[in-house]
């Protein structure tokens, strides 16, 4: 069996996983909103920039993005902490997906809502932020929460650049205890405890939205 | 008195489809004008052109001293929207906001009213449409007729000089239609200038000061409500023959 010290180490590691996830949710969400707005903008340049950004990020593995953020920047002479590099990679990765999900939600808001807002003499900016964006985000809530589950699980890739999150720590402990079944079962349970509430919340929201759209 | 709305040889096409072909008519201040006609006759398009939701291809429209033509700017349209309210067939309430928030939105953001002012105003217009108790309800919790009355109240809160109604009862059953028409009749009595596209012939005849029959993108016949009893053209005769 594992010592209490090892279990404690796993729990601390789970906190790093949760922290990395929260950074991806918040900063990735903020950048993602900007990307979504650029994607539906009337400005061609902004649309092209955001489109290219999404294509590049979605077309490369997160693992490679992690390595680039850590080793790439180190080679360029920036000394960077593994956790900082992993956070940067997670933010870039999640912002591209959030951006694409929310773009779809914004475009799904009926055109008549724009018209109604226009006929009340609201400025284009007010129409967008007061009427369209809240509804677009609401429409895209289920896929958003679904993607948040992916984010939690994908933080495990930060282990390759030495961030002492759950997966990295579990490998260390396994190397010293040779009890893979016990260690990784415990790790699986810890991940599940973080992901299940999100999945449950997602289903709940989906039911609620379906009722609203009867 | 000069008319509040004047359409002069307005034309509008969607691609090769000529929806409006030289439409001209006037709306006098304080009057109720009902536009009737078959689906596809261009009546809704004419109404939408009157507040710039559709850009016209030819002719000229003057609405509350705003001039609409082919090259109208966004700023001009916005100035127009301050004076003209519109109510749609599909209500188009904002589903993420309560009834009260729907109504207070424009007074607060556009008219820059304080929250207290906007709230008083919202309560007042909601009272006018008989829904004072629904202030905190969400649109989805209301019946179609109630939603449409909220949409009217939302438009009224901007104190428009002219109100446009685009088939506002077409999605409602007869009972709900009745409650919406009652509200509109009261508005007419209060002296609101109204232009409505409608299939409610009895309402057009009873409340309308002027009835315009549109056919194939043109004003085919126009006059007071009596034209519905004594149509001059075979097309209107056939139309009301089916309708009444």
């Amino acid at each position: 069996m594992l010592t209490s010290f090892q279990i404690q180490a796993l729990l601390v590691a789970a906190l790093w996983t949760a922290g990395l996830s929260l950074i991806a949710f918040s900063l990735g969400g903020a950048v993602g909103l900007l990307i979504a707005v650029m994607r539906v903008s009337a400005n061609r340049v902004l649309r092209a920039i955001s489109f290219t950004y999404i294509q590049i990020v979605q077309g490369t593995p997160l693992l490679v993005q992690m390595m680039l953020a850590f080793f790439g920047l180190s080679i360029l002479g920036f000394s960077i902490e593994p956790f900082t590099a992993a956070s940067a990679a997670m933010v870039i990765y999640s912002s591209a997906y959030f951006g694409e999900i929310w773009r779809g939600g914004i475009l799904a808001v009926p055109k008549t809502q724009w018209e109604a807002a226009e006929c009340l003499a609201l400025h284009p900016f007010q129409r967008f932020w007061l009427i369209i964006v809240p509804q677009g985000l609401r429409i895209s809530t289920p896929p958003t929460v679904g993607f948040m589950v992916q984010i939690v699980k994908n933080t495990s890739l930060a282990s390759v650049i030495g961030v002492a999150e759950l997966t990295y720590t579990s490998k260390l402990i396994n190397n010293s205890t040779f009890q893979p079944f016990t260690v990784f079962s415990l790790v699986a349970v810890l991940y599940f405890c973080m992901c299940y509430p999100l999945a449950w919340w997602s289903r709940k929201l989906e039911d609620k939205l379906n009722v609203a759209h009867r | 008195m000069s008319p509040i709305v004047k359409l002069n040889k307005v034309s509008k096409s969607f691609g090769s489809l000529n929806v409006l072909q030289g439409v001209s008519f006037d709306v006098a201040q304080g009057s109720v004008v009902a536009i009737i006609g078959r689906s596809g006759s261009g009546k809704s398009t004419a109404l939408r052109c009157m507040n710039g939701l559709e850009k016209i291809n030819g002719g000229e429209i003057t609405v509350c001293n705003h001039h609409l033509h082919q090259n109208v700017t966004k700023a001009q349209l916005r100035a127009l929207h301050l004076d003209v309210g519109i109510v749609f067939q599909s209500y188009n309430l904002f589903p993420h906001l309560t009834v009260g928030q729907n109504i207070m939105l424009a007074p607060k953001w556009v008219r820059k009213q304080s929250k207290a002012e906007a709230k008083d105003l919202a309560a007042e217009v909601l009272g006018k449409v008989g829904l004072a108790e629904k202030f905190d309800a969400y649109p989805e919790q209301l019946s179609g007729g109630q939603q449409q009355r909220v949409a009217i109240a939302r438009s009224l809160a901007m104190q428009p000089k002219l109100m446009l109604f685009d088939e506002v009862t077409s999605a409602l059953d007869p009972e709900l239609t009745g409650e919406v028409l009652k509200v509109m009749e009261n508005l007419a009595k209060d002296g609101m200038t109204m232009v409505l596209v409608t299939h409610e012939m009895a309402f057009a005849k009873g409340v309308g000061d002027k009835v315009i029959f549109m056919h194939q993108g043109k004003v085919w016949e126009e006059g007071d409500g009596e034209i519905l009893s004594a149509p001059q053209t075979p097309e209107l005769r056939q139309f009301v023959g089916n309708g009444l």
Side-chain angles (χ1 to χ4, degrees), chain A:
Chain A
M1 284 309 289
L2 300 178
T3 65
S4 66
F5 175 75
Q6 286 161 337
I7 292 176
Q8 200 186 339
L10 281 177
L11 290 177
V12 170
L15 284 182
W16 284 102
T17 292
L20 202 50
S21 303
L22 289 177
I23 287 172
F25 296 164
S26 52
L27 291 182
V31 180
L33 188 57
L34 184 72
I35 295 290
V37 171
M38 286 168 74
R39 277 291 268 134
V40 298
S41 145
N43 184 316
R44 232 156 96 206
V45 180
L46 290 181
R47 275 208 312 272
I49 292 172
S50 54
F51 178 76
T52 313
Y53 177 81
I54 290 172
Q55 292 305 311
I56 291 175
V57 176
Q58 292 195 342
T60 51
L62 175 58
L63 189 63
V64 174
Q65 291 163 14
M66 290 272 181
M67 306 249 208
L68 263 178
F70 185 56
F71 300 114
L73 288 178
S74 304
I75 286 170
L76 290 178
F78 300 98
S79 119
I80 186 166
E81 290 286 320
F83 187 79
T84 315
S87 301
M90 286 307 296
V91 167
I92 289 169
Y93 163 79
S94 50
S95 65
Y97 281 89
F98 278 140
E100 194 66 359
I101 291 170
W102 293 340
R103 164 186 163 263
I106 289 169
L107 291 182
V109 178
K111 193 176 153 242
T112 49
Q113 291 285 312
W114 285 97
E115 277 184 357
E118 183 187 346
C119 290
L120 289 169
L122 293 168
H123 273 295
F125 192 76
Q126 295 169 334
R127 289 173 218 161
F128 187 68
W129 288 104
L130 298 174
I131 305 301
I132 305 302
V133 169
Q135 292 186 61
L137 291 183
R138 190 165 296 205
I139 291 170
S140 33
T141 303
T144 301
V145 181
F147 178 64
M148 286 161 81
V149 173
Q150 298 294 320
I151 289 180
V152 173
K153 293 189 289 189
N154 282 343
T155 55
S156 61
L157 293 172
S159 61
V160 296
I161 55 174
V163 176
E165 46 69 71
L166 198 45
T167 301
Y168 181 88
T169 308
S170 65
K171 278 195 271 187
L172 278 189
I173 293 176
N174 180 51
N175 289 346
S176 59
T177 60
F178 302 112
Q179 295 182 51
F181 190 74
T182 315
V183 172
F184 291 117
S185 297
L186 186 55
V187 167
V189 168
L190 287 172
Y191 272 115
F192 185 80
C193 290
M194 284 185 259
C195 292
Y196 184 75
L198 287 172
W200 177 83
W201 186 39
S202 168
R203 249 203 327 278
K204 190 101 177 151
L205 287 169
E206 212 160 337
D207 288 349
K208 206 171 148 195
L209 282 172
N210 283 340
V211 169
H213 286 152
R214 250 186 319 225

Side-chain angles (χ1 to χ4, degrees), chain B residues 47-223:
Chain B
L47 195 81
R48 288 168 64 83
C49 286
M50 286 164 59
N51 79 339
L53 279 176
E54 306 289 352
K55 263 195 185 149
I56 59 177
N57 302 120
E60 204 189 2
I61 304 180
T62 307
V63 180
C64 307
N65 296 322
H66 303 282
H67 299 284
L68 296 175
H69 42 79
Q70 292 98 308
N71 306 314
V72 68
T73 65
K74 282 183 179 154
Q76 287 169 328
L77 280 181
R78 197 171 164 272
L80 170 78
H81 291 143
L82 288 171
D83 288 338
V84 181
I86 186 167
V87 183
F88 302 93
Q89 179 180 350
S90 51
Y91 333 131
N92 299 353
L93 294 176
F94 305 129
H96 61 299
L97 302 176
T98 63
V99 165
Q101 290 166 337
N102 261 278
I103 298 173
M104 294 187 293
L105 186 81
K108 258 187 350 204
W109 289 91
V110 178
R111 299 269 190 227
K112 309 291 178 204
Q113 292 185 1
S114 72
K115 195 159 182 201
E117 279 176 304
K119 200 162 178 182
D120 287 348
L121 179 65
E124 186 197 322
V125 290
L126 261 184
K128 257 189 195 165
V129 301
L131 290 172
E133 77 285 2
K134 298 292 185 189
F135 194 90
D136 292 315
Y138 279 91
E140 67 184 33
Q141 298 167 320
L142 305 180
S143 73
Q146 291 173 330
Q147 289 192 46
Q148 195 59 291
R149 281 145 70 196
V150 172
I152 293 173
R154 181 174 72 176
S155 208
L156 278 178
M158 288 295 282
Q159 286 147 344
K161 296 176 183 151
L162 165 72
M163 280 188 75
L164 308 175
F165 296 83
D166 189 4
E167 296 195 29
V168 293
T169 58
S170 297
L172 303 173
D173 68 34
E175 192 184 353
L176 299 181
T177 295
E179 66 187 38
V180 172
L181 292 181
K182 185 102 194 81
V183 166
M184 290 167 67
E185 206 177 326
N186 289 338
L187 279 182
K189 272 188 203 138
D190 288 349
M192 175 66 76
T193 311
M194 296 161 54
V195 179
L196 42 119
V197 166
T198 186
H199 289 302
E200 297 296 327
M201 293 304 139
F203 186 81
K205 192 174 171 184
V207 181
D209 298 302
K210 184 196 257 188
V211 175
I212 293 172
F213 172 62
M214 284 188 66
H215 185 66
Q216 293 179 349
K218 298 189 179 87
V219 173
W220 210 256
E221 207 169 312
E222 117 174 62

